[in-house]
Amino acid sequence: MDPDLPGADIRIGYARCSTLGQELDSQPDALAGHGIPREKIFSEKTSTCVRVRPRFEEALRTAREVKVAGPPSSPTTCSDAARGESPLSRSSPT
């Protein structure tokens, strides 16, 4: 499907790890493996206690710009899925 057409499958990814000692490379690689273009993958190393997440905010702005409904996130590990509903889906109007 042409990504410029209304209703096209526009995928946006967000990857985050909590500590500087954790490796972030596998998450963007996994998201890219699910067909998300590298330029639409936003990643950062920041604690869950930090309220300001610039790359997450950029991902939200991008999602709002394309205005295409789709799955809000794809957890890359079981621990990610166990954390419950993603912030992106909570932030999105339904």
Side-chain angles (χ1 to χ4, degrees), residues 5-83:
L5 293 175
D9 182 15
I10 307 293
R11 297 177 187 212
I12 298 168
Y14 175 72
R16 183 195 59 80
C17 63
S18 299
T19 66
L20 296 177
Q22 290 179 320
E23 184 58 50
L24 184 62
D25 294 337
S26 64
Q27 292 180 44
D29 290 345
L31 291 167
H34 285 281
I36 300 173
R38 291 280 179 178
E39 66 272 8
K40 298 285 189 194
I41 297 174
F42 303 88
S43 61
E44 59 195 342
K45 289 186 178 189
T46 186
S47 169
T48 56
C49 297
V50 175
R51 295 285 182 198
V52 177
R53 298 182 188 165
R55 297 294 287 165
F56 179 70
E57 293 301 323
E58 189 175 346
L60 286 176
R61 278 192 302 276
T62 301
R64 289 180 187 120
E65 286 173 9
V66 296
K67 296 179 181 177
V68 174
S73 66
S74 296
T76 57
T77 66
C78 291
S79 63
D80 292 341
R83 290 191 185 111

